[in-house]
Amino acid sequence: MKPTASSDWIARSLRSVWHPCTQMQHHEQVPLIAVSHAKGAWLYDHEGRRYLDGISSWWVNLFGHANPRINAALKDQLDKLEHAMLAGFTHEPVVELSEQLAALTGHALGHAFYASDGASAVEIALKMSFHYWRNAGYPDKQEFVCLQGSYHGETVGALGVTDVALFKDAYGPLLRAARTVASPDARNAVEGESAREVALRAARDVEALFAEKAGSIAAIIVEPLVQCATGMAMHDPVYLQRLRELCDRYHVHLIADEIAVGCGRTGTFFACEQAAIWPDFMCLSKGISGGYLPLSLVLTTDQVYDAFYSEDVTRGFLHSHSYTGNALACRAALATLQIFRDDAVIERNRQSATRLMLEMAGLIDHARVKNFRQRGMILAFDAVEPDNARAATFSRRFFTAAVENELLLRPIGRTVYLMPPYVLDDEELAGLAARTRRVFESVIAD
């Protein structure tokens, strides 16, 4: 039989492409999907089968695939400048993007340093914090603190502040270990304890560590409001307020990793807004370019910037990437920000989030569901499986069943989550919810 277009591309990919976050042998049972094209919230394979992108292609896509406004901006930019080195040069897209992002923080964070991916942004923030304290005359402040279950990327520095064994353990000998404190994950509540009380209890763990070790600690890093890769662990904003207070009192930097939770995912453009605080460093990536091109950056304060400003070259921040501040990526980001302004996206997302919750509410009291939760455009629940063997295969079984129902959903362990693009209409939101419920019922029954 002559191979179909999809099967041909899949075979060629398996021979030549090493796919990310994948045990490649699993593709003997779970076939790849060869994407031909995409439009709006839908991905299409070579035979015309479609899949609703319920996780925004790993949390990056905000306004749908092949968005005409972002497309137009990139086509215009292509005729002007695709890239120029940012050392010794500058260009309109990177200047305008930096200015607009600073304005979105009320100029609390007025300096942007660029890279290409989220892990690189985390590396930059860690290095900046370390180097700041050296420049400021506190060379002993060299340690970092992260939360239990935290994930901040898979480069060596980012893995050092990650607490997910699956990603980290194999590389332990390469890493500089961070100190780990309790997570404010509301799922950790004991009987009668509220999410706010869990957050305050976790903050006391930070306070105890700072009281003893602040003289050697450079920074604490946190994903504000939602720890995504550990299973969409959500916490009360009071935790961020307490972290800001503790960091100020003990002279420790606060790094906010908003790579996944920024750009409107949690209900405000920046997650930190819901706690009415600003960090010392904010890492952005994923949605900042609308899901179009690799782009990441770190926003920081005048105080940090000024500590590096000197005639002494060794006091400068000499970190660099070849594609730092890429003009095309920055133009995609500017188009993305323009859509936020033109379409009142934050306000519209609140309506979409409410609609999604209503459509999914039938699972709240399901006997095989626990910890049903939502923060803005992120909705999640944990499946209850009867034994460890079934729990270990839940994610793959769910993914396979979802594909059969025209859905791209990829659970994290037993955590099913929805993080769709912001462009779904009411019919698509209802369809996403109905199909998710149908897939869940089929998987727990098989």
Side-chain angles (χ1 to χ4, degrees), residues 101-111 277-280 299-303:
L101 289 172
L104 286 171
T105 73
H107 298 281
L109 303 170
H111 305 275
I277 64 103
W278 295 113
D280 301 290
L299 294 171
T300 193
T301 64
D302 289 346
Q303 182 178 4

Side-chain angles (χ1 to χ4, degrees), residues 283-297:
C283 303
L284 294 174
S285 190
K286 293 192 182 290
I288 191 62
S289 71
Y292 266 68
L293 289 164
L295 180 68
S296 68
L297 61 115

Side-chain angles (χ1 to χ4, degrees), residues 210-427:
F210 282 7
E212 181 182 0
K213 298 291 185 179
S216 63
I217 295 172
I220 182 169
I221 185 169
V222 60
E223 283 184 282
L225 301 183
V226 186
Q227 291 178 256
C228 293
T230 196
M232 302 300 160
M234 300 183 185
H235 60 259
D236 191 282
V238 73
Y239 183 73
L240 303 175
Q241 295 169 356
R242 289 291 291 133
L243 278 192
R244 182 69 274 174
E245 294 167 3
L246 292 169
C247 287
D248 289 342
R249 185 194 315 168
Y250 288 99
H251 305 291
V252 172
H253 285 146
L254 175 57
I255 301 173
D257 175 353
E258 295 225 9
I259 291 162
V261 300
C263 302
R265 287 292 181 193
T266 66
T268 48
F269 189 84
F270 299 117
C272 284
E273 293 178 65
Q274 295 180 48
I277 64 103
W278 295 113
D280 301 290
F281 303 92
M282 181 184 287
C283 303
L284 294 174
S285 190
K286 293 192 182 290
I288 191 62
S289 71
Y292 266 68
L293 289 164
L295 180 68
S296 68
L297 61 115
V298 176
L299 294 171
T300 193
T301 64
D302 289 346
Q303 182 178 4
V304 170
Y305 179 81
D306 290 345
F308 291 84
Y309 201 84
S310 171
E311 292 184 358
D312 184 350
V313 173
T314 66
R315 291 177 64 88
F317 191 64
L318 304 182
H319 187 101
S320 63
H321 295 266
S322 298
Y323 283 93
T324 292
N326 174 260
L328 284 169
C330 289
R331 187 69 186 273
L334 286 167
T336 297
L337 294 183
Q338 188 66 49
I339 294 173
F340 271 100
R341 292 191 293 269
D342 290 348
D343 293 4
V345 170
I346 299 300
E347 293 77 10
R348 194 183 68 211
N349 277 2
R350 290 173 185 146
Q351 299 173 7
S352 296
T354 298
R355 177 65 183 268
L356 187 59
M357 171 61 86
L358 290 172
E359 296 286 351
M360 291 291 292
L363 290 180
I364 292 176
D365 296 320
H366 196 292
R368 298 285 293 276
V369 168
K370 64 179 181 178
N371 302 317
F372 192 95
R373 56 201 182 274
Q374 184 183 34
R375 174 70 68 175
M377 291 295 288
I378 306 172
L379 186 146
F381 62 88
D382 302 327
V384 177
E385 285 283 42
D387 57 63
N388 290 337
R390 283 182 57 83
T393 62
F394 176 83
S395 179
R396 269 183 283 159
R397 289 185 288 121
F398 193 101
F399 172 82
T400 301
V403 166
E404 293 170 355
N405 283 269
E406 296 188 333
L407 285 181
L408 170 55
L409 292 178
R410 186 183 169 105
I412 301 170
R414 291 181 294 107
T415 297
V416 178
Y417 72 91
L418 308 180
M419 196 188 293
Y422 304 158
V423 295
L424 271 64
D425 59 26
D426 286 350
E427 182 179 351

Side-chain angles (χ1 to χ4, degrees), residues 136-275:
Y138 299 93
D140 293 335
K141 292 174 77 66
Q142 300 181 8
E143 296 187 73
F144 297 102
V145 180
C146 65
L147 277 57
Q148 290 175 351
S150 59
Y151 174 90
H152 299 288
E154 293 168 43
T155 51
V156 171
L159 269 182
V161 290
T162 286
D163 187 49
V164 179
L166 180 64
F167 300 118
K168 182 176 180 178
D169 284 359
Y171 310 104
L174 298 177
L175 307 179
R176 179 173 181 168
R179 294 184 179 273
T180 305
V181 292
S183 170
D185 182 356
R187 295 177 297 180
N188 293 334
V190 298
E191 187 174 355
E193 192 176 30
S194 68
R196 178 183 174 85
E197 289 167 335
V198 175
L200 291 172
R201 172 161 55 86
R204 289 194 291 272
D205 194 38
V206 177
E207 184 173 15
L209 175 63
F210 282 7
E212 181 182 0
K213 298 291 185 179
S216 63
I217 295 172
I220 182 169
I221 185 169
V222 60
E223 283 184 282
L225 301 183
V226 186
Q227 291 178 256
C228 293
T230 196
M232 302 300 160
M234 300 183 185
H235 60 259
D236 191 282
V238 73
Y239 183 73
L240 303 175
Q241 295 169 356
R242 289 291 291 133
L243 278 192
R244 182 69 274 174
E245 294 167 3
L246 292 169
C247 287
D248 289 342
R249 185 194 315 168
Y250 288 99
H251 305 291
V252 172
H253 285 146
L254 175 57
I255 301 173
D257 175 353
E258 295 225 9
I259 291 162
V261 300
C263 302
R265 287 292 181 193
T266 66
T268 48
F269 189 84
F270 299 117
C272 284
E273 293 178 65
Q274 295 180 48

Side-chain angles (χ1 to χ4, degrees), residues 34-38 44-47:
V35 176
S36 167
H37 61 284
Y44 296 84
D45 68 17
H46 289 266
E47 283 68 52

